[in-house]
């Protein structure tokens, strides 16, 4: 790896990581070394339930959209998406989604605000939060759910382990509490020594990191992929300046302590 560039560690499922990396490059951002090491993968499982009588779909992830299509699900006139990334996936399979502002609460409010009636279906993964279908039904909007894909865990790659045990700064974007908890456990297991910079999709994601030492971090103002990229770009720039200024984690930690306490010494 170039010793003059910070590292960008992407731990989302491979397709999502590749898409995020491509979008960073489309933004014209460079000067970093990417490492793709998915801690979670997506496996379509099915089955897709009988769709007779279903009048609309509610998607909380792009993975749910893709699994629905892989299982032979057809576009329906009514479709809700939690955010823009999920909406893009829905458009690719021929749907015209109504788009919420990035989280389950916003999606719940959108559906209830429109009161579409009929019978909705929420295709989701094994690991999901928010009890969306149950809450919609309890509020008077019938909604069933179907678990149509799994999200099994994966270990860190050898390249990721080497990066976390090294001295170059590592920037890691974390999009969910589950992925943050998995990353924290993996980093501890490999005795990570690299200076870490973390971008969080929410305060809940930050809390799931469970006290892992992070030199600098950013929490996006709202769950939005574009804002997440901006946070990652900012942290990569901070990491690049760190490499230029001090070049090693020990030097940086000494420099940081001195800045916090002028009397601090090693």
């Amino acid at each position: 790896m170039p010793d003059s560039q910070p590292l960008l560690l992407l731990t989302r499922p491979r397709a999502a990581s590749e898409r995020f990396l491509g979008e960073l490059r489309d933004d014209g951002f460079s000067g970093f070394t990417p490492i793709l090491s998915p801690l979670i993968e997506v496996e379509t499982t099915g089955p897709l339930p009988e769709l007779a009588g279903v009048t609309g779909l509610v998607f909380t992830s792009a993975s749910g959209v893709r699994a629905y299509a892989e299982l032979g699900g057809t576009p329906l006139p009514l479709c809700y998406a939690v955010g823009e990334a999920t909406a893009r996936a829905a458009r690719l399979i021929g749907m015209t989604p109504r788009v919420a502002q990035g989280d389950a609460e916003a999606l719940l409010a959108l559906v209830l605000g429109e009161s579409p009636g009929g019978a909705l279906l929420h295709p989701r993964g094994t690991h999901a939060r928010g009890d969306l279908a149950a809450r919609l039904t309890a509020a008077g909007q019938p909604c069933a759910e179907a678990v149509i894909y799994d999200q099994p865990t994966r270990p860190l790659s050898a390249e990721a382990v080497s990066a976390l045990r090294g001295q170059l700064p590592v920037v890691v974007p974390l999009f969910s509490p589950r992925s943050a908890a998995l990353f924290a456990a993996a980093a501890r297991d490999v005795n990570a020594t690299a200076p870490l910079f973390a971008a969080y999709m929410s305060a809940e994601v930050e809390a799931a990191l469970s006290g892992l030492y992070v030199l600098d971090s950013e929490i996006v103002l709202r769950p939005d992929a574009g804002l997440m990229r901006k946070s990652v770009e900012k942290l990569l720039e901070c990491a690049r300046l760190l490499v230029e200024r001090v070049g090693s984690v020990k030097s940086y930690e000494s420099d940081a302590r001195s800045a916090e306490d002028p009397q601090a010494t090693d």
Side-chain angles (χ1 to χ4, degrees):
M1 298 177 188
D3 61 6
S4 60
Q5 295 189 154
L7 309 175
L8 175 63
L9 177 57
L10 299 172
T11 62
R12 298 179 83 191
R14 184 162 297 276
S17 291
E18 290 174 346
R19 184 168 60 252
F20 188 82
L21 179 59
E23 289 168 348
L24 274 178
R25 288 172 168 161
D26 288 344
D27 285 347
F29 203 83
S30 60
F32 64 91
T33 300
I35 299 173
L36 274 63
S37 179
L39 291 175
I40 298 171
E41 282 296 0
V42 175
E43 296 178 355
T44 300
T45 57
L48 195 65
E50 175 58 53
L51 295 178
V54 174
T55 56
L57 300 164
V58 183
F59 291 109
T60 50
S61 72
S63 296
V65 176
R66 286 188 284 269
Y68 174 82
E70 287 176 16
L71 292 168
T74 57
L76 294 182
L78 180 61
C79 172
Y80 291 95
V82 68
E84 188 53 43
T86 302
R88 284 198 298 271
R91 294 183 191 109
L92 286 174
I93 66 169
M95 289 189 274
T96 305
R98 294 162 165 81
V99 188
Q101 296 302 308
D103 61 24
E105 296 305 314
L107 181 58
L108 179 75
L110 174 63
V111 177
L112 293 179
E114 293 194 352
S115 301
L120 303 181
L121 176 68
H122 175 208
R124 67 170 182 87
T126 302
H127 300 273
R129 298 176 298 117
D131 296 322
L132 183 63
R135 293 173 68 191
L136 285 170
T137 300
Q141 171 56 60
C143 184
E145 65 179 14
V147 177
I148 62 171
Y149 67 95
D150 194 12
Q151 303 118 298
T153 61
R154 298 287 184 262
L156 286 169
S157 68
E159 186 180 15
V161 171
S162 177
L164 290 171
R165 288 176 174 168
Q167 292 189 339
L168 285 173
V170 176
V171 177
V172 55
L174 298 167
F175 290 79
S176 71
R178 184 177 181 227
S179 62
L182 288 170
F183 174 73
R188 291 192 187 95
D189 285 347
V190 302
N191 298 313
T193 57
L196 292 176
F197 294 73
Y200 307 113
M201 187 62 92
S202 68
E204 188 178 8
V205 175
E206 180 189 33
L209 210 61
S210 302
L212 186 69
Y213 180 62
V214 175
L215 294 178
D216 198 3
S217 64
E218 286 270 325
I219 301 176
V220 299
L221 295 175
R222 65 179 185 277
D224 178 87
L227 292 177
M228 192 65 157
R229 289 198 306 277
K230 295 302 180 186
S231 290
V232 168
E233 289 169 6
K234 179 179 177 180
L235 291 173
L236 282 168
E237 182 63 18
C238 291
R240 185 187 64 78
L241 292 173
L242 167 60
V243 172
E244 291 180 356
R245 188 171 75 250
V246 294
S248 75
V249 63
K250 289 184 179 179
S251 296
Y252 177 79
E253 289 175 343
S254 175
D255 184 55
R257 285 196 299 272
S258 297
E260 294 170 1
D261 179 1
Q263 303 303 315
T265 65
D266 289 336

